[in-house]
Amino acid sequence: MTAILRNESRTLLRGTITLTGLLVLLSAFLLVVFPSIQEEAALFEAVYPEYLLLMLGVEELHTIEGFVGGYIFPFIWILLAGLYFAYVSAGMISRDVRTRQLDLTLAGPVSRESVVLQKVGALWLPLVALNLGLVAVLLVGTPLLDESLEFGALVMVHLLGIPYLLVCAGVGIVCSVVFDRVETAQATALVVVFVLWLIDGLSQLNPEYEWIGNLTPSRYYDPSAILVHEEYAFLDAGVLLAAFLVLLGVAILIFVRRDL
């Protein structure tokens, strides 16, 4: 009953190791430059355009909490990891449709609903690896800079970020069941996630259009609020989980009804 889950997890293994390694290295590099940014924090905030600071959620950049929450997490987690989950999920069904592997899979005693659920379930691997990798580099790196992060806040910023990544995966899985071509599904998922992130940042520039940002997933995940103020927005995380379940339900509904 879990053969698809195990097989998909093995398929994701190499990409997960590569992604985690690259993001860990990038995070370590960003930590290395923190002392120089700390010294020029005021100049940094003055030089960078307002829209970029709003997108990144930059706050108290001179502190390690502000730097990690407003500099590392927006790039590493919200943008890069979000794009990765959308990209990987968009190929889960469309690739099997394209290669006709899905015909063999559905010839066995397995429902279409189970196929989608098991493939999405395989995302446990990159979720666990990415969380452990980033926690490790931050726990090791910050003491080397004579800084420290509150462990509870560090754990929460990762846990509350999981629903955001799941929403990105939900966008990808919907694209995967809508489009037959892998390239089209993945490109569409990448564009949607990136545009949503862009809209969230740009909408904050004008109070008249700020409400539009409420339709974007990144609006409901604020690393700076968690790390700087230790504000844990469980309700926002619940909204993201609900959005993921809706996207997953839509994907299953489309997949069950479509002709292969």
Side-chain angles (χ1 to χ4, degrees):
M1 295 294 291
T2 59
I4 298 174
L5 174 63
R6 296 195 303 271
N7 182 67
E8 196 68 34
S9 297
R10 286 193 294 268
T11 301
L12 292 175
L13 181 59
R14 178 178 296 181
T16 295
I17 294 174
T18 302
L19 170 74
T20 303
L22 290 174
L23 295 188
V24 163
L25 288 175
L26 181 56
S27 299
F29 172 77
L30 292 175
L31 283 176
V32 169
V33 303
F34 169 66
S36 60
I37 290 181
Q38 185 180 33
E39 296 175 358
E40 304 293 340
L43 179 62
F44 178 91
E45 295 178 357
V47 170
Y48 273 65
E50 182 183 2
Y51 73 88
L52 183 58
L53 297 178
L54 288 172
M55 285 184 191
L56 298 180
V58 171
E59 185 177 358
E60 297 189 20
L61 191 60
H62 62 283
T63 67
I64 189 64
E65 294 86 359
F67 177 77
V68 173
Y71 202 83
I72 293 183
F73 268 88
F75 280 120
I76 300 298
W77 195 278
I78 295 179
L79 186 56
L80 297 183
L83 291 174
Y84 173 81
F85 273 79
Y87 178 85
V88 168
S89 301
M92 286 180 164
I93 301 297
S94 56
R95 179 174 290 105
D96 284 359
V97 172
R98 190 71 172 176
T99 61
R100 310 308 300 178
Q101 177 64 36
L102 197 58
D103 293 339
L104 297 176
T105 300
L106 294 176
V110 61
S111 66
R112 294 193 182 193
E113 294 91 337
S114 180
V115 170
V116 175
L117 291 174
Q118 289 189 60
K119 283 184 173 290
V120 173
L123 293 173
W124 72 270
L125 183 62
L127 279 173
V128 171
L130 185 57
N131 274 284
L132 292 180
L134 290 184
V135 167
V137 74
L138 291 174
L139 287 179
V140 173
T142 51
L144 295 177
L145 300 174
D146 293 326
E147 300 283 351
S148 64
L149 288 169
E150 172 64 36
F151 182 74
L154 182 59
V155 170
M156 292 305 300
V157 77
H158 282 86
L159 290 180
L160 294 178
I162 291 177
Y164 168 77
L165 295 182
L166 289 178
V167 171
C168 295
V171 172
I173 201 67
V174 170
C175 292
S176 192
V177 300
V178 169
F179 301 103
D180 290 336
R181 290 180 57 85
V182 182
E183 298 82 3
T184 303
Q186 291 177 329
T188 302
L190 288 175
V191 169
V192 169
V193 170
F194 179 77
V195 169
L196 287 173
W197 172 79
L198 198 61
I199 289 174
D200 179 26
L202 294 177
S203 66
Q204 298 181 57
L205 296 179
N206 190 331
E208 184 178 351
Y209 299 105
E210 189 173 358
W211 64 270
I212 299 177
N214 295 330
L215 304 176
T216 65
S218 55
R219 177 62 59 89
Y220 298 90
Y221 176 55
D222 188 350
S224 291
I226 298 172
L227 291 171
V228 176
H229 304 293
E230 296 187 20
E231 297 176 353
Y232 307 141
F234 295 108
L235 180 59
D236 288 349
V239 171
L240 291 175
L241 283 175
F244 165 67
L245 292 176
V246 170
L247 289 169
L248 183 60
V250 169
I252 291 175
L253 182 63
I254 294 174
F255 187 55
V256 168
R257 295 188 175 188
R258 69 172 290 186
D259 294 327
L260 299 177

